[in-house]
Amino acid sequence: MGVRFKGWGTAVPDRVVTNDDLSKTLDTSDEWIRERTGIRERRIGGTAKSLGVTAGQRALAASGYGVDDIDFLVVATTTPDRITPATATLIAAEMGLTCPAMDVNAACSGFMYAVRTAYGLLETGQRRVLVIGAENLSRWVDWSDRNMAVLLADGAGATVLEYDETGNDLLSFSLGANGNWADLLTCEHEGFFQMDGKEVFRRAVRVVVDSAEQAMADADVKAEDIALVVPHQANIRIIQAATQRLGIDMERAVVVLDRYGNTSSASIPLAMDDAIANGRVKAGEYALLTGFGAGMTWASAVVRWS
Ligand code: UT7
């Protein structure tokens, strides 16, 4: 069977918050944030629904399809507008979609979990699935807590996945979860995001490397064959450490966290959109998409652009 990516779209709020802006109210500095994370600025505003709708509409326009061509909507979000109903139903109503719609919450691995879910749906009879990663992380940030405030931001990204017998983009997946590490990064009801940053960092590098190696082995692809790495955008040092251990040149990694910070489920499609805009996605080449997040969860996939 074949599944192809048919178009991508993104949305970010207009409001730019720089490191210097944060330094005015927090005991932090542009220098510390840039050196320890790679982030220069981030976008703050909107809701999971509003950002998700715009990204979804743009992905649909890029795919050349209309709302009636979509069989299923899967929305990855850690920050749904309401506990219920699912943000996917709110987005579907606004977009004019009448297909089934549901949310997936796998934190920052959410987009890759949603792509894996879409793959399964396409394998069992659906023709086209719209996948959206949409986050309003800023709503759940304690803006007096420098540990989280410098990292998290808002945004959305989307793609259309289509069943296609003539070609296949998605060669392998390696997903995992370990709920014993749930307290390393958590947000309680009515609470704020809290994190043991050092432990998340250490484990993130390990799970990204292990799942990427598994996905590459399953696709029968070697590190030197990977032309593009599209990683979850949490910290430039995590991306550097993981690519180094994988034996993949850092030049091949897409980095947008300097402009957008950590947007959880939105970060991989935001990076993908940037790679496409910069001509870095080429037919026949292999890419590694890889994410990790609260749970802990992790997810890697090897793609060959048809
Ligand atoms: O999407 C997945 C979720 N999250 C992640 O992937 C995050 C993973 N972890 C990280 O990215 C990093 O661990 C952080 C960026 C969160 C922290 O970087 P670090 O290099 O691990 O710093 P640290 O926690 O070891 O802190 C070093 C110093 C400490 O001061 P002392 O004890 O050396 O005096 C901190 O108190 O930096 C201090 N510090 C800060 N200083 C300025 C911690 N946060 C800040 C801050 N501004 N925002």
Side-chain angles (χ1 to χ4, degrees), residues 28 32 36 108 146 195 197-198 232 234-235 237 262 292:
T28 189
W32 190 95
R36 306 309 293 170
C108 304
R146 68 178 183 178
M195 175 175 71
K198 273 201 177 320
H232 169 48
N235 186 320
R237 293 185 295 132
N262 181 347
F292 65 90

Side-chain angles (χ1 to χ4, degrees), residues 112-123:
M112 296 309 298
Y113 265 68
V115 167
R116 178 67 187 88
T117 303
Y119 187 91
L121 291 165
L122 293 163
E123 215 171 11

Side-chain angles (χ1 to χ4, degrees), residues 26-29 32-33 35-37 39 107-109 137 145-152 184-185 195-202 204 232-238 262-264 267 292-294 296:
L26 289 171
D27 180 16
T28 189
S29 66
W32 190 95
I33 301 168
E35 278 179 10
R36 306 309 293 170
T37 72
I39 298 168
C108 304
S109 311
L137 299 171
D145 173 12
R146 68 178 183 178
N147 292 315
M148 299 310 305
V150 303
L151 303 175
L152 303 184
L184 293 181
L185 174 47
M195 175 175 71
D196 179 342
K198 273 201 177 320
E199 268 312 302
V200 172
F201 191 117
R202 205 168 311 159
H232 169 48
Q233 308 283 312
N235 186 320
I236 188 80
R237 293 185 295 132
I238 294 177
N262 181 347
T263 57
S264 191
S267 85
F292 65 90
M296 261 182 112

Side-chain angles (χ1 to χ4, degrees), residues 55-288:
Q57 287 169 335
R58 289 177 177 161
L60 206 54
S63 76
Y65 288 113
V67 285
D68 295 335
D69 300 313
I70 300 299
D71 295 341
F72 216 109
L73 171 65
V74 184
V75 173
T77 185
T78 315
T79 49
D81 287 10
R82 309 179 193 176
I83 288 178
T84 198
T87 303
T89 63
L90 307 176
I91 291 175
E94 184 85 13
M95 286 184 68
L97 291 163
T98 52
C99 59
M102 68 174 187
D103 286 2
V104 165
N105 179 352
C108 304
S109 311
F111 186 78
M112 296 309 298
Y113 265 68
V115 167
R116 178 67 187 88
T117 303
Y119 187 91
L121 291 165
L122 293 163
E123 215 171 11
T124 52
Q126 311 295 319
R127 299 295 305 185
R128 268 164 235 110
V129 181
L130 176 60
V131 173
I132 301 176
E135 298 288 6
N136 180 209
L137 299 171
S138 66
R139 178 175 168 184
W140 306 100
V141 168
D142 172 359
W143 288 96
S144 66
D145 173 12
R146 68 178 183 178
N147 292 315
M148 299 310 305
V150 303
L151 303 175
L152 303 184
D154 304 326
T159 188
V160 175
L161 284 162
E162 181 177 40
Y163 178 80
D164 189 336
E165 280 155 6
T166 65
N168 182 38
D169 288 352
L170 275 161
L171 304 186
S172 64
F173 289 100
S174 176
L175 277 67
N178 185 345
N180 293 311
W181 300 342
D183 292 336
L184 293 181
L185 174 47
T186 184
C187 180
E188 303 289 336
H189 286 289
E190 315 301 333
F192 297 115
F193 284 107
Q194 292 182 316
M195 175 175 71
D196 179 342
K198 273 201 177 320
E199 268 312 302
V200 172
F201 191 117
R202 205 168 311 159
R203 287 167 209 243
V205 174
R206 222 179 301 151
V207 297
V208 163
V209 169
D210 289 350
S211 66
E213 284 179 340
Q214 186 62 54
M216 289 193 292
D218 290 349
D220 203 15
V221 165
K222 305 228 167 338
E224 56 266 33
D225 301 326
I226 299 290
L228 194 70
V229 182
V230 189
H232 169 48
Q233 308 283 312
N235 186 320
I236 188 80
R237 293 185 295 132
I238 294 177
I239 300 174
Q240 285 164 341
T243 50
Q244 189 188 3
R245 287 191 200 181
L246 286 165
I248 300 175
D249 190 350
M250 179 64 189
E251 298 277 291
R252 297 189 205 163
V254 185
V255 176
V256 296
L257 60 83
D258 53 330
R259 282 164 282 158
Y260 300 131
N262 181 347
T263 57
S264 191
S265 297
S267 85
I268 287 181
L270 279 170
M272 267 304 306
D273 203 51
D274 187 80
I276 293 165
N278 289 301
R280 297 178 72 180
V281 173
K282 298 186 184 118
E285 288 191 350
Y286 293 101
L288 171 69

